[in-house]
Amino acid sequence: MIPVLDWSRFSGGTDMDGFVADLGQAARGPGFFLLKGHGVAAPLIADVFAQADSFFSLPEADKAPLSILNNPHNRGWAQMGSESLDETSGQVDQKEAFNIGLDLSPDDPRVLAGEPFRGVNLWPDLPGFKETLLQYFDAVQNLGVSLHKAIARDLGLAEDHFAPSFSAPMSTLRMLSYPAMQDAGIGAGAHTDYGSVTLLMTDGEPGLQVKPRGGDWVDVPHVDGAYVVNIGDCLMRWSNDIYVSTPHRVLAPKKARKSIAFFLDPNPDAVVSALPGTGEPKYPAVTGADYLRSRLDATYTPKAL
């Protein structure tokens, strides 16, 4: 049900049309696929998971000054129980997270101007943490932006159609930690992702499930070293509902679980409107920043404010 695609077919030029066709089928169907052959180095991925272990092992007193609740740019630490991704059930997520975005200096003109989602990253005092995360951020962002070349071709557009909208995207790298829970519960409530595409690397511990339209919850298979890629709401809207953003959730794991998610949103001022050739627009045009803000505002539980 969830296909495995090999990015090297496209990036290496050996079967670009075949890859585009397979991607298009996945984007219109389950809205999820696994991506191998992506070129992100395995040692770098392992280093990010090691840094996640170091960060989440810190005392809460060391993490509290980095709270995402004090940052308007979606950066920093989200404490356990501070998010409710399932906006209808009221379930509180049993996870903690840490976010970074585009790394900007305090004197960057975009920061000084107060542009949306253009803030400085918050960093813990851990050796190698910043350097490792920024190296990984760049690698996965390059992969996500390149993936839009295949997306454009599938939608009948020029390969570089999306390039101007992703010149300085609102990317978010999010480390996630789910504690072991013996009782039935939820790690992350049912939701769809907000952005264009998500690239998720897991540690192999089960729990991630998707709910295809008209179907029941199914487990996402694990392929060692492969990214779980899914279409987000922004790209579904952009494609005028040709692509599908599929609900997913994380069940409370029996063993502690960590994952590294990369959410690729367009530039803050990119206008998201129905792409050429997709028919009568089903949604009004909106900027990337306004759309992301509308979704994030519904995520954090009042008790955490």
Side-chain angles (χ1 to χ4, degrees):
M1 177 176 290
I2 298 175
V4 180
L5 306 185
D6 189 338
W7 176 241
S8 66
R9 293 164 60 197
F10 187 90
S11 63
T14 58
D15 184 21
M16 298 177 77
D17 290 343
F19 179 89
V20 167
D22 290 345
L23 179 149
Q25 186 174 18
R28 290 166 172 81
F32 271 75
F33 58 92
L34 301 178
L35 190 68
K36 64 180 185 177
H38 46 71
V40 180
L44 176 58
I45 294 171
D47 286 348
V48 176
F49 275 102
Q51 292 292 349
D53 287 340
S54 296
F55 176 78
F56 291 119
S57 297
L58 290 173
E60 186 166 316
D62 291 347
K63 293 179 284 190
L66 307 176
S67 175
I68 199 170
L69 297 176
N70 300 324
N71 186 286
H73 303 290
N74 195 34
R75 288 159 162 78
W77 174 59
Q79 69 187 79
M80 187 73 66
S82 65
E83 296 180 355
S84 294
L85 286 175
D86 187 338
E87 299 169 12
T88 59
S89 72
Q91 288 179 306
V92 176
D93 295 355
Q94 296 303 306
K95 69 178 192 300
E96 59 177 315
F98 182 79
N99 292 9
I100 69 165
L102 182 68
D103 196 47
L104 301 174
S105 64
D107 60 355
D108 187 287
R110 293 165 290 184
V111 174
L112 295 176
E115 291 185 14
F117 303 104
R118 294 306 197 208
V120 296
N121 285 318
L122 307 176
W123 299 107
D125 185 16
L126 290 171
F129 186 93
K130 178 179 179 179
E131 293 77 11
T132 299
L133 264 64
L134 289 180
Q135 183 181 355
Y136 182 79
F137 183 100
D138 289 343
V140 184
Q141 177 165 278
N142 288 338
L143 175 62
V145 172
S146 295
L147 195 59
H148 279 74
K149 296 178 181 179
I151 291 169
R153 286 178 56 157
D154 175 63
L155 293 170
L157 304 169
E159 192 173 281
D160 62 353
H161 179 87
F162 288 102
S165 296
F166 288 93
S167 59
M170 297 181 296
S171 304
T172 300
L173 175 60
R174 164 165 267 214
M175 305 188 307
L176 292 142
S177 177
Y178 301 86
M181 295 179 64
Q182 298 308 311
D183 299 328
I186 199 74
H191 65 286
T192 53
D193 289 346
Y194 314 145
S196 191
V197 295
T198 300
L199 295 100
L200 176 75
M201 186 62 66
T202 78
D203 62 1
E205 188 65 27
L208 179 61
Q209 295 186 323
V210 303
K211 192 176 191 297
R213 300 295 195 265
D216 203 353
W217 290 102
V218 296
D219 294 329
V220 175
H222 177 72
V223 174
D224 193 40
Y227 282 101
V228 180
V229 183
N230 63 281
I231 306 301
D233 297 337
C234 184
L235 185 54
M236 185 172 81
R237 184 180 182 125
W238 227 337
S239 71
N240 216 19
D241 286 357
I242 291 175
Y243 282 5
V244 175
S245 177
T246 303
H248 50 285
R249 67 184 181 185
V250 178
L251 300 180
K254 299 301 181 184
K255 297 180 181 178
R257 179 182 187 273
K258 288 188 175 65
S259 61
I260 310 295
F262 186 85
F263 303 101
L264 181 60
D265 290 77
N267 298 350
D269 59 354
V271 177
V272 178
S273 58
L275 291 166
T278 59
E280 188 69 22
K282 297 182 179 181
Y283 306 96
V286 65
T287 66
D290 285 347
Y291 185 70
L292 180 57
R293 172 53 62 199
S294 71
R295 300 302 305 277
L296 288 172
D297 284 347
T299 299
Y300 294 94
T301 57
K303 71 181 183 64
L305 297 178

